[in-house]
Amino acid sequence: MRSVWADAWRELVATARRTVADGLVVGTSGNVSVRVGDTVLVTPSGIAYDRLGPDELCAVDLEGRRTAGDLVPTSELPMHLAVYRSTGAAAIVHTHAVHATAVSTLVDELPAVHYMTAALGGPVRVAPYAPYGSEELAAHVLEALRDRSGCLLRNHGTVVYADSLGRAYDDTAQLEWMCRVWLAAASVPGRTPALLPPEELDRVAERLRGYGQRG
């Protein structure tokens, strides 16, 4: 099991560093986790991602009890654990992406300005504001994620889960891009962005299920 943890931890650290390199977080903001059986590997609190190595592995069980490592887990652990306990998530990426955070202050739901909205289950909801790291925020996130795999957090950022870290990261990047598109389109004076209807999103969702390489 430790070798499986080691492989998962390396991928987690690489993903966390990528969020910084791609401008989705600043400093130690945001966090990343991955589930391995009934264990959750998660970025520790307040440690720069470029300082993370094998010795900084941080693991907890689904109740938040530490099972490996000496570092304190991210303050957003309640949110990560709530998602794992309530969904089929295998990985979670939480960011403070600029455009997504801006959109979270403007609307209750990101309008369907692009067909990739379907990849997240439909128009992306905004979870009401609550203090970071709180059980209240975790509850808001679960409600916003109902029938969705991603949401925005009011005045805070994004949460996306998937069946792999790669998919969770890619969907996070797509969400930030869609927020940027909507902000650009909505800022044109006298014009209202055209939106895709639910039936078109359903059709795209079906096409996405067969997208990419198979076999």
Side-chain angles (χ1 to χ4, degrees):
M1 177 59 73
R2 291 289 174 159
S3 64
V4 175
W5 285 7
D7 291 342
W9 181 252
R10 279 193 292 270
E11 185 180 9
L12 181 150
V13 170
T15 301
R17 290 174 178 172
R18 191 176 176 191
T19 64
V20 176
D22 291 351
L24 297 177
V25 303
V26 175
T28 61
S29 66
N31 27 77
V32 179
S33 68
V34 62
R35 181 173 178 174
V36 181
D38 290 332
T39 297
V40 174
L41 307 183
V42 62
T43 48
S45 178
I47 304 293
Y49 298 147
D50 60 3
R51 290 175 51 197
L52 295 180
D55 293 339
E56 284 70 44
L57 183 145
C58 186
V60 299
D61 64 18
L62 291 172
E63 299 305 316
R65 295 181 290 257
R66 202 177 312 174
T67 58
D70 299 320
L71 297 176
V72 175
T74 172
S75 57
E76 296 292 8
L77 185 62
M79 179 175 68
H80 286 255
L81 295 180
V83 174
Y84 285 122
R85 291 194 296 256
S86 302
T87 72
I92 298 170
V93 174
H94 165 50
T95 79
H96 293 179
V98 172
H99 300 93
T101 302
V103 169
S104 79
T105 71
L106 299 172
V107 296
D108 294 326
E109 182 179 86
L110 174 65
V113 292
H114 192 271
Y115 65 77
M116 284 303 290
T117 300
L120 294 167
V124 178
R125 303 183 187 101
V126 179
Y129 178 81
Y132 76 88
S134 66
E135 295 290 349
E136 182 183 7
L137 178 60
H140 288 334
V141 166
L142 287 185
E143 178 59 26
L145 287 175
R146 181 172 38 86
D147 302 321
R148 301 287 188 270
S149 59
C151 70
L152 304 181
L153 313 182
R154 178 85 69 200
N155 300 92
H156 188 156
T158 70
V159 173
V160 174
Y161 76 84
D163 57 4
S164 69
L165 269 173
R167 174 71 183 273
Y169 182 85
D170 289 346
D171 285 351
T172 296
Q174 285 282 359
L175 176 54
E176 168 67 354
W177 179 83
M178 286 191 294
C179 288
R180 185 176 181 182
V181 168
W182 182 78
L183 286 170
S187 69
V188 178
R191 303 300 298 269
T192 300
L195 304 179
L196 296 175
E199 57 270 22
E200 178 57 23
L201 294 180
D202 290 342
R203 186 165 70 162
V204 171
E206 182 62 32
R207 292 174 66 89
L208 286 175
R209 278 190 276 273
Y211 179 77
Q213 304 300 314
R214 296 293 183 270

